[in-house]
Each structure stands twice: as structure tokens, then as C-alpha cells.
Amino acid sequence: MKIVSACLAGVNCRYDGKSNTIDYVVDLVKSQDAIPVCPEQMGGLTTPREQAEIVDGRVCTITGKDVTDLFERGAYEGLNIATLAGCREAILKSRSPSCGYGKIYNGTYSGEMTEGNGLFAKLLSENGIDIITEEDL
Ligand code: SF4
């Protein structure tokens, strides 16, 4: 069983109310080989919501609101689901401040990247779950 970013499975949970549908991930969910989660929604954030990026370890929206606590809450809820379902692997959305793995947006809202992990990806990795992003498929 895999845990996957819900936006990759066609759920319209992105900050702008859209998805990042990848047919392979949709098929994994349909065949009951993957569970979709959106840690930002589970943290209590609305959809649509303000765009957010990580700056100096804190998650801040484009208007400067610190939403780190909500992102952390959602990351832990996502980990709870992954643990309950016995997931050992994850397919996550690249570059996101929650789901990004290896590289994320650098906090300038310019589209530029920096090395690092989103809060959900970091938590899954720390708990022994192997992560790839949709760019690795
Ligand atoms: Fe997709 Fe993850 Fe962002 Fe939710 S938090 S919209 S699952 S990238």
C-alpha cells in the first residue's frame, strides 16, 4: 500500500482549487493499492487557499501569514493514515511546501527551487517511508 498526494490522484485540493492528475496514481487508487491524502486540507486549511512557501523553516503565505502550525497538524494526520494503512512507500507532489521531496520552492514566489523537503514529506521520511515524486515516475 502506498500513500499518495491527493492532488496527483485527481482531487481538486491544490491551493488554487485544481489538481495535478497523474493517470498512474489515479489507477493505483482505483486498484486499492494507494490511499490519497492532502495534508494541507487535513491541517484545516481551506480550498482554495493562499499560496504558501517555506522560509527559514516556517511556512508562510504569500501575504506573510505564518501557517506552520496548520501544515504540521496536517502532516501528522497524514502520517497517522499512512501508519494505519501500513504504507511503506509514498508518491508525493514535487516542490510543494507539504509534499515536496528533495527540492522545494525557495520562499520567494519566483518559481525558483532550493534543496529541502515539505513538512509532510519530511515526516514520512523520518518514519521510514520511502518517497518518490511524480517526476520520478
Ligand atoms: Fe497536493 Fe500535497 Fe498540496 Fe495537498 S498538500 S494539494 S496533496 S501537494
Side-chain angles (χ1 to χ4, degrees), residues 23-36:
D23 289 344
Y24 174 75
V25 177
V26 174
D27 289 344
L28 282 177
V29 175
K30 284 182 175 175
S31 63
Q32 301 183 10
D33 293 310
I35 296 174

Side-chain angles (χ1 to χ4, degrees), residues 34-78:
I35 296 174
V37 299
C38 177
E40 292 178 22
Q41 288 187 332
M42 288 191 296
L45 290 151
T46 60
T47 305
R49 56 188 170 276
E50 279 194 289
Q51 203 172 353
E53 295 190 3
I54 296 176
V55 186
D56 297 330
R58 305 294 295 180
V59 188
C60 294
T61 70
I62 196 165
T63 61
K65 184 180 174 190
D66 190 322
V67 287
T68 308
D69 289 353
L70 297 174
F71 272 62
E72 287 180 342
R73 182 189 302 169
Y76 277 99
E77 289 305 312

Side-chain angles (χ1 to χ4, degrees), residues 95 103-106 110-115:
R95 304 189 292 271
K103 59 183 177 181
I104 54 174
Y105 291 118
N106 71 358
S110 62
E112 293 177 17
M113 305 292 156
T114 187
E115 287 185 16

Side-chain angles (χ1 to χ4, degrees), residues 90-112:
I91 304 173
L92 301 183
K93 174 68 186 75
S94 62
R95 304 189 292 271
S96 151
S98 287
C99 295
Y101 184 66
K103 59 183 177 181
I104 54 174
Y105 291 118
N106 71 358
T108 63
Y109 296 95
S110 62
E112 293 177 17

